[in-house]
Amino acid sequence: MSKETLWRPLDIAKAAAARRGAHQVVLAGSGTEFLFFIANKDGRQEGYRIPKTPEFNTANNRGVSARDLQLQEMALADWATSNGIPSAEPLDFFEQHGYPVLVLEVVEDDGSVLDSSALGAVMSRMHEKPVPSLALVAQNGSSIHSRIVERLVQRYDVLGEDTELPSLPPNREMIGSLEKYLGQPRLTHLDLRRQNVRVRNGQPESIFDWSNALVAAPEVELARVQEYAAIAENGLNYEDFCAGYAHQDAGAMNDSPAWPILRLDTAVMLAVVFSSVAPNKDLRTMFLGRVRELVSQL
């Protein structure tokens, strides 16, 4: 990443640390939309989650407010810790030089391989919890079935601008299938991968980056994990994840007419990511193939 890209967030992180009486600021992680810095305060570490820009405008997220995502991250991190789901405790939130800064507890990570079965068990517990009363950014105020199809079609159109793709079924048909076959809505994370989990001895100690969260059927989570597992660096094993999620017969979902739609939702999103947001020729080709395969199953 260029110094130009890092300079302003680093400046903000240093100002945030000074505001809180902390020092020794270092960059600890970088994602598509946020940077994470760590500083020392009173002999302990604390983290600063800082957006790269006050508003995000990518092929997958247009006109999304960084402040809204930060407030959602804080609320869901608090909800998770209150409900026995591993997460970092939110410590503070404030505006710094026009950027929303979220201060979080730093959870150590020993670099071990994530136990996908343990992660599946955590998600199983989470999907049993009462849904938090919170307007989620990715939900965009829509019913979940309409929202999934709406964003699928929008992203599919983006892919179709420079790639020949088969036609999708009518929106009404896909929405009807989701309404008929999906289970009861629960809080879903929808960005589960090794990069978003702090791990010790293989066990998930903190799940973070709730930007994609939706109140949706658990099948939506499982379908996303299945597609994510095809990317080696995501550190997921879908079969192990389902084994940890064992009280729900995840395997039976493969026969649902809604299943290809849910997997397509993720495959299209990833094809867009690897086409423009984080270009990767091999992964773009792989997920374009997945997109065509899944459309043929609709």
Side-chain angles (χ1 to χ4, degrees), residues 5-295:
T5 302
L6 278 176
W7 170 245
R8 185 159 178 77
L10 178 58
D11 189 41
I12 294 166
K14 288 181 176 179
R19 177 176 181 155
R20 288 184 52 81
H23 59 283
Q24 295 179 328
V25 179
V26 296
L27 178 66
S30 176
T32 302
E33 295 164 338
F34 290 91
L35 297 168
F36 193 73
F37 296 87
I38 289 177
N40 292 316
K41 180 184 178 184
D42 301 329
R44 300 183 64 182
Q45 290 186 322
E46 63 180 26
Y48 309 129
R49 186 177 191 250
I50 297 174
K52 295 179 179 179
T53 177
E55 182 178 279
F56 303 115
N57 282 286
T58 66
N60 279 326
N61 291 305
R62 297 196 182 278
V64 176
S65 162
R67 185 176 191 277
D68 289 347
L69 288 179
Q70 292 283 61
L71 290 173
Q72 175 173 292
E73 186 78 15
M74 180 171 62
L76 290 180
D78 183 64
W79 177 89
T81 54
S82 299
N83 282 276
I85 306 302
S87 184
E89 180 184 356
L91 303 175
D92 200 358
F93 174 82
F94 50 83
E95 299 280 337
Q96 188 71 51
H97 300 323
Y99 281 62
V101 177
L102 177 60
V103 185
L104 294 159
E105 168 194 19
V106 172
V107 177
E108 295 298 327
D109 187 312
D110 63 9
S112 57
V113 174
L114 172 63
D115 183 337
S116 293
S117 177
L119 183 63
V122 169
M123 286 298 104
S124 176
R125 295 201 310 272
M126 190 178 93
H127 292 164
E128 292 177 340
K129 303 294 182 182
V131 174
S133 178
L134 183 68
L136 299 174
V137 175
Q139 203 115 14
N140 201 31
S142 303
S143 72
I144 186 56
H145 308 109
S146 297
R147 180 59 180 147
I148 289 173
V149 172
E150 173 189 49
R151 71 181 188 181
L152 165 58
V153 171
Q154 288 174 343
R155 292 166 176 172
Y156 199 77
D157 287 345
V158 170
L159 279 182
E161 291 174 0
D162 58 11
T163 305
E164 187 173 347
L165 295 171
S167 298
L168 291 172
N171 289 15
R172 184 178 300 178
E173 181 180 319
M174 291 190 286
I175 292 170
S177 184
L178 297 180
E179 289 175 343
K180 182 176 181 180
Y181 293 105
L182 292 190
Q184 290 298 308
R186 295 290 186 265
L187 178 66
T188 59
H189 181 277
L190 295 189
D191 201 12
L192 294 173
R193 48 199 172 98
R194 179 61 176 86
Q195 300 91 322
N196 288 340
V197 184
R198 304 291 285 177
V199 178
R200 280 201 295 261
N201 296 320
Q203 301 301 299
E205 295 291 322
S206 174
I207 296 167
F208 57 94
D209 197 349
W210 296 85
S211 295
N212 294 319
L214 290 175
V215 175
E219 296 97 305
V220 181
E221 190 96 80
L222 290 159
R224 179 146 296 195
V225 170
Q226 187 169 22
E227 291 300 314
Y228 270 26
I231 303 171
E233 69 181 38
N234 285 346
L236 296 171
N237 181 294
Y238 179 66
E239 290 73 21
D240 289 350
F241 183 92
C242 289
Y245 200 90
H247 81 286
Q248 301 247 0
D249 187 4
M253 297 175 190
N254 294 333
D255 297 325
S256 165
W259 192 246
I261 300 173
L262 300 180
R263 294 186 65 184
L264 181 63
D265 174 54
T266 296
V268 168
M269 179 272 290
L270 291 172
V272 170
V273 166
F274 297 125
S275 296
S276 59
V277 181
N280 183 306
K281 183 179 179 181
D282 291 341
L283 289 175
R284 176 182 186 273
T285 299
M286 180 174 76
F287 280 102
L288 282 174
R290 292 288 303 124
V291 166
R292 293 188 177 98
E293 177 187 349
L294 289 163
V295 172

